Amino acid sequence: MFRQTHHRKAGFTLIEVLVALVLVAIVAVSLSQLLQTGQRSHAVSKHLVDMQQNARIAISSIADDFRHVSYGKDPTQPSIFFAGPDSIVFVADMMTETPGAELISYFLSPDGDPDTPNPNDTVLIKAVADSSGAPILVEPQSYGVVAGGLSIRYFNGGGEELPNPVPQPELIGEMLIEVATTETERWKQADYAQMSLSSTVYPRNLPLTPARSRPSSPQCSDPIYPNCAAAKLTWETPTTYTDGTELDFADISHFNFYLGTDPDEMDVRTRLAKTVNEWIVSELGCGTYWIAVSCVSQSGVESHKCRRQIAVYGDLLPKSTESIWLTDSTGVVIEWAPVTQFENDEPITVPLDYTLYRSEIPGFVPDDASRIATIGGATRYHDSPPDVCTRYYYAVTASACCREGAPSGQPSIERPSPPQCPTALAGAPIEGAGAIDLTWTHPIQRDDLSFLPLEEIAATWVYFDTIPGSTVRSVRIEGQATGTRIEGLSGCATYFLHAKTEDTCGHLTSASCLGNEISVHLSDGCDPEAPAQPAELALTPLDERVDLQWLPNTVDCDFYGYRILYGTSSGDYSGVEANEGRSPITVTAAEVYSEGTCRFSLTGLSACETYYVTVAAIDQCSPPHASPTADEVSGMTACIPCEISASCPSWVSSPALAHQDLHLEIYTQSGGDETLARLVPSWNSDARLMAVAYGRPLLPIWSYDGSSGENGPVDPQPSGATIDLSDVVVPSWTSLEDGQPLALFFDRDVRDVSFDLQFKNPTGGFCTAQDVNRHGAIFDDFDDGNYYGWHPLSGNWTCTAGELYQSSIGSNRLMVSDRIFTNVTFEGKVRVTSGTTAWFVFRHEDGNNFHLAGLTPSTDTVQLARVRYGKFAQVAAYNTPLEMDSWYNIKIVVAGHTASVYLDCVKVLEETDYSMMFSGRVGFRTSSAAARWDDVRCQAAAIPQ
């Protein structure tokens, strides 16, 4: 039987599908809500973190900087300028690249934050200015701060809250900072969310930091005094904080040692290791001081100070300075010899002050009214007196240990310096009129070598008389005239004329000006009678010359001059070999007249030859009438010639002897020893010779009182006198560059005086040297065993055997002068004993900027070099054979930017260097060498070459 079966197809019914869709929708909605909740939670967390981070950054910025408040500041600055409820301004050195401490300000931007939609958020701003108040930077520190959300509260060292704003910021010991931040973008809330953080800050450097972080004060003893300018303080290391808790030694950083004149305003003198429990403060000046010590913890908090008062006084008086020098240089430069001893001859080892006094009254008593300055240690001061056209008197005292010594002498100086003498005087007689036409040239310099403008010349004084050197008769010529006619003179007379200059201040030339004196003879016309016979003719035979002397003609009105006749046979006057010309030689009266006698020399004669000489007077007639000749005189020239001459170093005077001296060196050219027996010095001033010294060290070989020499007791001698010396030997080793010293001492200033020195040996040999006595701003032969006036900056400097010696051969060694020069001639002898190079230094501005000239025997080199900004550079070099341990004379002439170097009197280098400073000190230097210097001289103006 067939049975049919029906099967059901697979799938979901509509109802099932609908149910499934409902379930899926429910799950999707749940998942969506869950995702949105997660996203919302993440956003809230992010905003919360941002607000928290902004608050932390704001607090950290203010706290980190404020902990350093007062660090590195100028003591005159307050630590906190302003402390308010929502801003603060304080001082701290936070930027090492900016000099001094900075002014740091924190405040909220008043304009809010325009870059966010939140209308109530703002920005924390940090502003920094330098110590002068000039802005350095302004930059945001933190964003999202609630407007008005910065709150600062202040407390003193005891934790008591202070009024806000704080009226006395120095009372602040701690600070509580609270910062409220907000969302910059609102996240699905009705209001912008906010949060706040706070922190307490304990600054390290304020005196009232709370006890809970401040070490106890060190316990210090009463001070003791090692000397009158020093005090010693001892103390115990603290072991607790001020709240009584234990302070471990490891928690101590260091001690601060303070010094000041006000107990509340002391400066840190030094920072000491925590293992130190005593300290000496030295080099204190006169008066009362405060010293103190404090303990600083490792966290930078400082204890209160343990303070003690000290008083610096002494019982000894310093000696007075022995020498003062005044120069006029855009004011008055005063220099003096340093004081090194108390009156009981104890050395002064404490700081020394000098007080300077000025008055217009000679012999004044130094007092407060006349005091112009007190300076520490230096021996030079540049004064600016209130008036020109005035003579000023100065005095200096030394003070040590609060005691002022006796005043020095009172040298004076005219301002401006007096004019130099007129030059080129020339006079012409107006025959028959009893008059002389005189002309001259005005000086262009003053005594101190400063420039004299023509408009500052008020008048010229002309002195005239029949007596040489007389100032009895004179006439004042107003203005800048360069000539005048002097009338009302007597005929048949010889007049002697010289002149001086008066400036617009009424200062008259201080020198005698007799070196420019001329003579003019006035006659009454031609007298037919022959002149009188010359009387007392005398002849002195010398080395290849004879010197003649006779009485002048004073009786013939129409007198003109003389004829000098010579020859090698008696009565035969046909000589031809004299440098002055063949016989007869005609000279005017003025050409041979000198100090009341007539003098003439015949030079270039043969040695060991007898010469016969006579003289006749002639008048002004045409042709002239001649007198009978004088009695014939004769003499033999020296058979052994003199071969002494002056060495090439400049002739100078010394400021230490008020320029009443003349220093030079002499040597022999004979190849052997030579004896110096007599000296005939001539000069163009009215100074008188007092003494002569010779050798190393200088020893007297003649004195006017007869204590040395062969003249016995005599008056101080005038120009031209023969000085009979104690015979001395000029040794064979002397040479042009290195001679034996010779010094002449006078009764007055002989600066800028021309000298002619005649040296004579025992056999009559005669030789001459001539030069001008230069104004030596420095002359030092080191024979006194010290180097006063020079300052060693490095090296081992001593004075031994009358020489300056630097013995250290390591690196570079330097010594410089007290004085500063512009244009200068600097000269001396130098000997390298070992090592490399010895130098003369000039235009020294500081240890990193100067110029120098020196010699290196190891490479046969003379060098001109400079040190600029600490870097050495050779400017020029000259090669010539040089011997180690041999003396050489070096001279440097500096004018403007040009320096010339001379080796043994010969110019070997000259360079113009526009990097050269216009002024500086002079001195000496070695480069890896030991060396000696001697006979150093420095002139304040370059010598024309």
Side-chain angles (χ1 to χ4, degrees):
M1 170 174 168
F2 177 73
R3 187 178 180 178
Q4 188 176 2
T5 303
H6 297 277
H7 295 278
R8 188 180 180 179
K9 293 183 179 179
F12 295 103
T13 67
L14 178 61
I15 294 175
E16 290 175 333
V17 170
L18 291 175
V19 171
L21 289 174
V22 169
L23 291 175
V24 169
I26 293 171
V27 171
V29 169
S30 299
L31 289 174
S32 174
Q33 290 177 341
L34 182 63
L35 179 62
Q36 290 178 357
T37 301
Q39 289 176 332
R40 187 180 301 111
S41 175
H42 173 74
V44 170
S45 297
K46 177 180 180 300
H47 282 252
L48 181 64
V49 169
D50 288 345
M51 287 189 292
Q52 190 178 57
Q53 185 69 10
N54 286 339
R56 285 175 176 172
I57 292 173
I59 290 175
S60 176
S61 297
I62 299 174
D64 287 349
D65 283 352
F66 190 68
R67 284 192 184 96
H68 293 84
V69 62
S70 191
Y71 172 72
K73 75 178 184 67
D74 186 319
T76 62
Q77 291 178 293
S79 296
I80 304 174
F81 275 83
F82 176 77
D86 59 0
S87 63
I88 188 167
V89 182
F90 57 91
V91 176
D93 187 5
M94 304 295 291
M95 303 177 71
T96 57
E97 67 274 15
T98 302
E102 295 81 47
L103 195 65
I104 301 173
S105 305
Y106 278 95
F107 55 90
L108 296 178
S109 170
D111 300 327
D113 189 346
D115 296 328
T116 68
N118 190 338
N120 297 315
D121 70 341
T122 186
V123 180
L124 177 67
I125 301 295
K126 175 182 177 180
V128 181
D130 65 18
S131 56
S132 67
I136 298 177
L137 62 87
V138 176
E139 61 184 14
Q141 297 295 296
S142 179
Y143 297 91
V145 180
V146 175
L150 173 63
S151 173
I152 308 176
R153 299 166 61 191
Y154 306 93
F155 303 85
N156 63 17
E160 298 176 354
E161 187 166 1
L162 298 172
N164 203 342
V166 182
Q168 293 179 285
E170 66 271 13
L171 298 179
I172 295 174
E174 61 182 278
M175 180 171 71
L176 175 63
I177 308 171
E178 184 174 2
V179 176
T181 54
T182 182
E183 296 175 287
T184 57
E185 296 181 3
R186 185 165 49 195
W187 180 255
K188 304 300 182 180
Q189 301 178 74
D191 296 317
Y192 287 92
Q194 295 183 6
M195 70 171 299
S196 64
L197 295 178
S198 65
S199 178
T200 300
V201 181
Y202 302 104
R204 301 172 181 174
N205 303 310
L206 294 183
L208 297 178
T209 301
R212 54 184 171 274
S213 63
R214 187 187 300 279
S216 298
S217 173
Q219 297 300 305
C220 56
S221 62
D222 290 333
I224 59 175
Y225 299 91
N227 58 53
C228 69
K232 178 181 178 181
L233 186 69
T234 60
W235 61 89
E236 296 180 1
T237 302
T239 58
T240 63
Y241 290 98
T242 52
D243 64 353
T245 58
E246 182 180 358
L247 171 64
D248 192 273
F249 187 73
D251 291 333
I252 296 176
S253 171
H254 63 277
F255 292 108
N256 283 339
F257 192 90
Y258 290 83
L259 172 69
T261 56
D262 186 321
D264 297 321
E265 295 185 8
M266 292 187 288
D267 296 326
V268 175
R269 181 66 175 252
T270 186
R271 176 173 169 167
L272 303 171
K274 61 184 179 181
T275 56
V276 175
N277 289 94
E278 64 180 33
W279 193 253
I280 296 175
V281 57
S282 58
E283 297 184 1
L284 298 173
C286 303
T288 301
Y289 298 85
W290 287 86
I291 55 177
V293 64
S294 68
C295 178
V296 182
S297 69
Q298 291 287 1
S299 60
V301 179
E302 185 175 14
S303 75
H304 296 298
K305 304 178 183 69
C306 181
R307 296 180 295 195
R308 291 292 183 269
Q309 190 177 35
I310 58 175
V312 180
Y313 299 103
D315 298 325
L316 298 177
L317 286 175
K319 290 184 176 180
S320 61
T321 185
E322 296 180 354
S323 301
I324 303 179
W325 306 282
L326 306 176
T327 53
D328 191 341
S329 178
T330 319
V332 177
V333 176
I334 309 109
E335 299 178 87
W336 56 92
V339 176
T340 59
Q341 293 180 316
F342 291 106
E343 287 187 339
N344 66 350
D345 293 332
E346 287 187 16
I348 297 176
T349 59
V350 297
L352 191 70
D353 289 334
Y354 293 100
T355 302
L356 291 90
Y357 300 88
R358 178 189 67 224
S359 177
E360 298 175 26
I361 303 172
F364 73 97
V365 177
D367 56 17
D368 288 344
S370 59
R371 183 172 59 242
I372 56 173
T374 297
I375 59 177
T379 56
R380 186 177 190 270
Y381 181 76
H382 191 284
D383 184 31
S384 299
D387 301 312
V388 294
C389 299
T390 305
R391 178 173 288 277
Y392 288 100
Y393 298 82
Y394 288 88
V396 177
T397 62
S399 298
C401 298
C402 306
R403 300 291 302 277
E404 185 174 12
S408 65
Q410 296 182 3
S412 65
I413 188 170
E414 280 188 314
R415 293 206 63 221
S417 180
Q420 291 185 352
C421 299
T423 58
L425 267 68
I430 309 301
E431 300 296 349
I436 297 174
D437 280 345
L438 182 70
T439 61
W440 60 85
T441 298
H442 289 301
I444 61 173
Q445 288 183 316
R446 297 182 179 275
D447 275 354
D448 63 357
L449 303 183
S450 62
F451 178 62
L452 174 63
L454 185 63
E455 59 269 19
E456 292 184 14
I457 294 177
T460 301
W461 285 82
V462 176
Y463 300 89
F464 57 96
D465 207 332
T466 56
I467 302 172
S470 172
T471 57
V472 174
R473 302 178 65 183
S474 63
V475 61
R476 185 177 187 271
I477 311 303
E478 294 282 351
Q480 292 91 42
T482 56
T484 189
R485 174 169 290 186
I486 303 174
E487 300 177 315
L489 306 178
S490 301
C492 194
T494 298
Y495 284 88
F496 298 87
L497 304 98
H498 67 280
K500 293 188 175 185
T501 300
E502 179 185 331
D503 67 12
T504 50
C505 287
H507 296 159
L508 195 63
T509 303
S510 58
S512 69
C513 297
L514 295 181
N516 293 330
E517 187 173 65
I518 63 170
S519 63
V520 177
H521 182 76
L522 294 179
S523 69
D524 287 334
C526 177
D527 186 341
E529 295 292 328
Q533 179 186 37
E536 299 187 22
L537 177 63
L539 181 148
T540 302
L542 298 167
D543 185 8
E544 298 181 350
R545 66 183 285 173
V546 294
D547 282 354
L548 305 172
Q549 183 173 317
W550 65 93
L551 294 181
N553 185 310
T554 59
V555 297
D556 292 299
C557 293
D558 61 346
F559 174 70
Y560 173 77
Y562 302 94
R563 286 179 179 158
I564 299 165
L565 303 94
Y566 71 97
T568 55
S569 300
S570 178
D572 179 9
Y573 306 118
S574 58
V576 297
E577 58 186 310
N579 291 334
E580 290 68 31
R582 61 174 60 241
S583 179
I585 300 169
T586 300
V587 293
T588 65
E591 289 175 325
V592 295
Y593 182 87
S594 175
E595 297 189 348
T597 190
C598 293
R599 304 176 188 273
F600 191 77
S601 296
L602 295 170
T603 63
L605 306 179
S606 299
C608 227
E609 178 73 68
T610 300
Y611 287 87
Y612 299 84
V613 180
T614 187
V615 175
I618 57 175
D619 61 19
Q620 300 181 22
C621 299
S622 181
H625 302 113
S627 72
T629 58
D631 294 339
E632 183 182 76
V633 293
S634 64
M636 178 181 290
T637 54
C639 295
I640 301 178
C642 167
E643 295 191 66
I644 298 173
S645 187
S647 190
C648 69
S650 304
W651 300 14
V652 296
S653 60
S654 167
L657 296 174
H659 299 286
Q660 295 177 203
D661 54 342
L662 171 68
H663 289 272
L664 66 149
E665 295 178 12
I666 59 176
Y667 70 105
T668 176
Q669 305 170 84
S670 66
D673 293 348
E674 187 156 1
T675 299
L676 175 61
R678 285 175 294 165
L679 180 67
V680 183
S682 300
W683 58 90
N684 60 342
S685 83
D686 53 0
R688 300 280 170 157
L689 181 65
M690 306 291 288
V692 181
Y694 172 78
R696 288 193 178 90
L698 284 171
L699 297 175
I701 58 175
W702 181 86
S703 177
Y704 80 96
D705 62 7
S707 59
S708 57
E710 306 299 331
N711 285 130
V714 293
D715 291 332
Q717 294 295 287
S719 170
T722 298
I723 308 301
D724 197 350
L725 310 170
S726 298
D727 289 3
V728 292
V729 173
V730 182
S732 60
W733 60 260
T734 56
S735 62
L736 175 70
E737 62 275 4
D738 184 18
Q740 280 284 62
L742 181 71
L744 286 70
F745 302 93
F746 298 85
D747 63 353
R748 66 198 66 188
D749 192 333
V750 287
R751 276 177 291 184
D752 302 316
V753 172
S754 297
F755 278 87
D756 185 316
L757 301 183
Q758 299 178 4
F759 308 111
K760 297 185 178 182
N761 61 27
T763 66
F766 168 94
C767 40
T768 301
Q770 297 174 328
D771 207 338
V772 174
N773 186 14
R774 303 293 179 184
H775 171 191
I778 295 174
F779 174 80
D780 205 335
D781 56 13
F782 305 107
D783 289 341
D784 54 9
N786 64 65
Y787 47 74
Y788 290 154
W790 304 94
H791 290 296
L793 302 181
S794 59
N796 184 21
W797 300 85
T798 57
C799 286
T800 59
E803 299 161 3
L804 177 66
Y805 180 44
Q806 200 293 113
S807 58
S808 174
I809 61 173
S811 189
N812 300 316
R813 309 302 185 188
L814 184 63
M815 169 186 277
V816 297
S817 65
D818 285 340
R819 305 185 64 178
I820 296 174
F821 301 94
T822 51
N823 291 347
V824 68
T825 296
F826 185 32
E827 180 176 15
K829 290 198 286 292
V830 62
R831 175 160 61 106
V832 181
T833 59
S834 63
T836 308
T837 308
W839 304 92
F840 286 81
V841 173
F842 58 96
R843 295 281 173 89
H844 179 278
E845 185 177 16
D846 53 44
N848 292 317
N849 296 278
F850 53 89
H851 292 252
L852 55 170
L855 48 85
T856 308
S858 60
T859 59
D860 294 331
T861 307
V862 180
Q863 298 182 70
L864 188 60
R866 68 168 175 260
V867 174
R868 197 67 175 154
Y869 305 114
K871 296 183 179 180
F872 174 89
Q874 179 177 282
V875 176
Y878 173 78
N879 292 108
T880 187
L882 299 173
E883 297 292 333
M884 185 70 76
D885 210 20
S886 294
W887 285 108
Y888 294 93
N889 192 79
I890 295 289
K891 178 168 70 174
I892 306 108
V893 179
V894 187
H897 293 294
T898 301
S900 303
V901 181
Y902 294 72
L903 174 67
D904 293 342
C905 312
V906 177
K907 184 191 288 188
V908 295
L909 293 171
E910 181 172 284
E911 289 292 331
T912 297
D913 184 351
Y914 289 101
S915 72
M916 188 184 299
M917 294 73 73
F918 278 103
S919 65
R921 304 180 189 279
V922 296
F924 317 101
R925 189 191 198 221
T926 57
S927 296
S928 302
R932 294 179 178 270
W933 291 262
D934 201 1
D935 299 318
V936 173
R937 52 204 78 199
C938 187
Q939 298 157 49
I943 301 174
Q945 300 298 317

